[in-house]
């Protein structure tokens, strides 16, 4: 099961958190069309964990996580049930290591919206010792503070 742990600044504006997450190395920004979905699979080797952080830029987006174990021949298992997240709500979690290879799919759902496409940004890390507390968003925040201290670059 995925473990949820929210550590975005709760008093900061969403656009700041969205832009900060977008500045993290390896962050991906995707547009999800009206009445459409976007699924992003990640191959997770045996013994590896996966963490993710995501934000929707405006409005809301549906989000869920599924696991597929190729060797089992079974259909995908829902690890995170579909839930709507507003732009004020951070989307993040962790998939614990298991002794087998699998595919973890992050699923962004805009099929309920006939009027607005949605833009999401997400960041994923895979490894044996990945943690939500020491991820690239924290590194990006440190770089941003350092750059602000150095003054404008010309």
């Amino acid at each position: 099961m995925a473990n949820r742990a929210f550590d975005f600044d709760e008093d900061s504006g969403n656009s700041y958190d969205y832009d900060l997450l977008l500045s993290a190395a390896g962050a991906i920004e995707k547009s999800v069309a009206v009445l459409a979905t976007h699924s992003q699979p990640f191959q997770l080797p045996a013994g590896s964990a996966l963490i993710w952080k995501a934000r929707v830029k405006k409005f809301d987006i549906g989000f869920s996580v599924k696991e597929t174990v190729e060797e089992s021949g079974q259909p995908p298992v829902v690890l995170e049930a579909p839930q709507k997240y507003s732009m004020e709500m951070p989307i993040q979690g962790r998939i614990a290591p298991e002794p087998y290879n699998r595919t973890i799919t992050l699923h962004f759902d805009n099929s309920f919206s006939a009027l607005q496409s949605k833009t999401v940004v997400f960041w994923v890390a895979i490894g044996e010792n990945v943690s939500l507390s020491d991820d690239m968003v924290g590194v990006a925040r440190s770089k941003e503070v350092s750059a602000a201290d150095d003054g404008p670059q010309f």
Side-chain angles (χ1 to χ4, degrees):
M1 283 306 269
N3 301 318
R4 305 298 271 183
F6 297 97
D7 64 354
F8 284 99
D9 290 338
E10 295 204 15
D11 58 347
S12 69
N14 176 63
S15 64
Y16 175 78
D17 282 339
Y18 184 93
D19 292 340
L20 181 63
L21 186 56
L22 185 58
S23 72
I28 300 168
E29 186 174 43
K30 289 283 183 185
S31 179
V32 184
V34 297
L35 302 175
T37 62
H38 173 74
S39 296
Q40 186 71 49
F42 295 93
Q43 299 302 314
L44 195 57
S48 293
L50 179 142
I51 59 173
W52 71 85
K53 289 192 176 204
R55 281 285 191 158
V56 60
K57 191 169 192 175
K58 291 183 182 177
F59 310 109
D60 57 12
I61 193 85
F63 178 78
S64 63
V65 179
K66 293 181 181 179
E67 172 188 73
T68 305
V69 180
E70 288 78 14
E71 295 86 38
S72 74
Q74 299 295 317
V77 174
V78 175
L79 298 178
E80 289 284 334
Q83 180 178 340
K84 268 192 191 177
Y85 288 86
S86 70
M87 59 188 267
E88 292 86 17
M89 299 169 67
I91 305 167
Q92 64 185 42
R94 179 177 189 273
I95 303 295
E98 294 290 348
Y100 48 84
N101 296 329
R102 56 205 168 139
T103 300
I104 302 297
T105 303
L106 304 184
H107 184 75
F108 297 94
D109 184 358
N110 196 33
S111 63
F112 56 85
S113 180
L115 300 176
Q116 282 296 147
S117 63
K118 310 292 172 58
T119 304
V120 295
V121 61
F122 58 96
W123 175 87
V124 169
I126 297 172
E128 292 180 15
N129 298 312
V130 294
S131 167
L132 284 168
S133 63
D134 60 1
D135 61 21
M136 292 306 294
V137 174
V139 172
R141 189 179 306 259
S142 298
K143 288 180 182 175
E144 184 177 82
V145 169
S146 175
D149 291 343
D150 293 342
Q153 301 295 313
F154 298 100

